[in-house]
Structures are given as C-alpha cells and as structure tokens.
C-alpha cells in the first residue's frame, strides 16, 4: 500500500530496524483486558489520518498479516525526528520500521496476551528473514527489549547496525515495544546435490515461502510445496538474478552464497 512520498536514507550509517507496537488501547489491564483492534483499522489509519506517522510494515503477530507502506530503501515516518539532531528516520543504509499490532492485555479469541512475545508471533520468521536480507544483523545493540523502559544512546544509534526498540531511539520518548520475539536461526545450506527432481523435504517448503516473500514467485497453482520441481528452479533462478548473479550462477540450483542471503528459517 505504497503511500508515495519516498525519501532516501542516510546510507553512511549502518542498517537498522525499529521495533514498535501500535499501542492503540491504553486502558487495558490484567483485570480488565480489551479486544484487539482489527488490523484493517490500523491499515486504514496509516493510509489515512496518520499517514504522517506510517512505518514500513504493519504486522499482525496473531495472523501473520502484513501491510507495507514504504519501500525498504525509503525512510518511513514512525519516529520523532527533531531538527538539527540525528535523523532518526534516515540514519542507516536502511531504517526499517515495524509496527506490531499489539497492546498489553489485549484479548484475541478469548485469550489475553500480556506481552508481544506471548503472542503466536505468526509471520515472524518471514519478517525476520526479510529484514535480515537488507543487511540488518540479528542483534539489539542496546539490549533485547524486556519491559517498558527507555535506554538511549545517540553514539550507539549512529554507529551500530541491528534492531532497536522504539525505547532506544534518540529524540524519542516512547518506551515500546516492551518485548520482542527472539531471532530465528537460518537453515544451513544442505548442499547443491540436495536439490534434485522429486526431493521431498520441509526445507524446500520453507525455501518456497521465502522465495514468495522475496517476490521471486514463479510457482504455478499445482506446485507441491515441499517437493523440488521445475517451478522451484525457476523461482530460485529469479532469486539469484535479483542478487545480481547471471549465466551459470543463476541456473536455479541453490549455491551457498545465495542460500545464505535467502535466510530460510531453521526447522527445529
């Protein structure tokens, strides 16, 4: 749902991602939980009256639904950016801002969730892989968020790549997200010989989902999700081409480099 109004990031700084929660209800408590606000309401808000505060991604950890409002290479607008200081919305090769649809003690299908990490976190492996594919390392330089407390350092912000809580960002006074899911380990490269016609594996299904998420979907409706087939070759070749490979290096057979950059979620 591209809002337009793109603007560049300050690419001299390391790549970052910012963790937010929508916090659209502030009156819910353990004794008096409130129903979660529908995803469509927040999507309409960020494309309407609050477009000047829109992030890159709105994410529902309950359904795995996403809406994207800016391309990764543009700044978004969810951070306060005071004139004359660090450019909070821009200070990175990318500054990917994610708003999780959540507030403490929200109620979904009769179940109450005190923290974001307590939710099903559906879609988190795909989201984590997408952010990682833009060069953002799996680290919180100012500490993984565990509670609604602030901890801010402009020096760390400007020099360290990785994930930041809204509570870590200079010039801002919000203390969200309170918690955030743990990072998802990537599936190791199984070797080129693994990928042969008829090979059946949940690893192939996980790869399929990542290729679709990366816009390299060359699959047909009758493709079998967990079996290596000609559509997998076509889709993986599209991924190799997206990375800049050509010729025999983009023949659709996974190699170690392209596989590492795809960041297929590790299967337990």
């Amino acid at each position: 749902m591209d809002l337009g109004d793109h603007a560049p990031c300050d690419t001299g700084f390391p790549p970052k991602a910012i963790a937010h929660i929508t916090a659209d209800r502030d009156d819910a408590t353990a004794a008096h939980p409130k129903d979660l606000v529908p995803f469509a309401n927040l999507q309409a808000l960020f494309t309407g009256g609050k477009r000047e505060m829109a992030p890159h991604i709105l994410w529902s950890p309950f359904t795995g639904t996403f809406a994207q409002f800016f391309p990764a290479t543009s700044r978004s607008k969810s951070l306060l950016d005071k004139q004359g200081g660090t450019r909070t919305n821009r200070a990175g090769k990318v500054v990917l801002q994610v708003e999780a649809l959540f507030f403490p003690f929200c109620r979904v299908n009769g179940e109450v969730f005190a923290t974001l990490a307590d939710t099903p976190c559906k879609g988190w492996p795909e989201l984590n892989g997408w952010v990682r594919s833009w060069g953002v390392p799996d680290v919180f330089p100012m500490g993984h968020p565990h509670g609604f407390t602030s901890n801010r350092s402009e020096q760390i912000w400007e020099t360290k790549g990785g994930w930041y809580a809204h509570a870590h960002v200079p010039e801002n006074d919000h203390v969200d997200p309170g918690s955030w899911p743990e990072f998802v380990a990537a599936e190791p490269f199984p070797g080129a010989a693994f990928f042969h016609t008829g090979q059946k594996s949940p690893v192939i299904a996980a790869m399929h989902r990542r290729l679709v998420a990366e816009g390299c979907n060359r699959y047909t409706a009758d493709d079998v999700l967990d079996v290596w087939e000609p559509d997998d070759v076509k889709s993986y070749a599209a991924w190799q081409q997206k990375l800049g490979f050509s010729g025999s290096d983009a023949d659709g057979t996974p190699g170690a480099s392209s596989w590492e950059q795809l960041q297929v979620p590790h299967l337990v």
Side-chain angles (χ1 to χ4, degrees), residues 188-207:
F189 180 53
F194 174 83
F195 301 97
H196 60 82
T197 302
Q199 173 72 284
K200 182 180 176 66
S201 171
V203 172
I204 294 172
M207 177 208 70

Side-chain angles (χ1 to χ4, degrees), residues 21-71:
I21 58 173
T22 55
D24 32 279
R25 297 290 299 267
D26 61 5
D27 56 348
T29 65
H32 300 285
K34 301 292 182 180
D35 288 338
L36 185 71
V37 175
F39 185 91
N41 290 24
L42 273 297
Q43 182 173 292
L45 191 72
F46 286 132
T47 56
K50 295 293 186 181
R51 62 192 298 123
E52 289 302 312
M53 299 172 62
H56 288 85
I57 300 289
L58 173 64
W59 165 48
S60 169
F62 299 98
T63 64
T65 305
F66 299 97
Q68 183 172 357
F69 306 107
F70 292 95

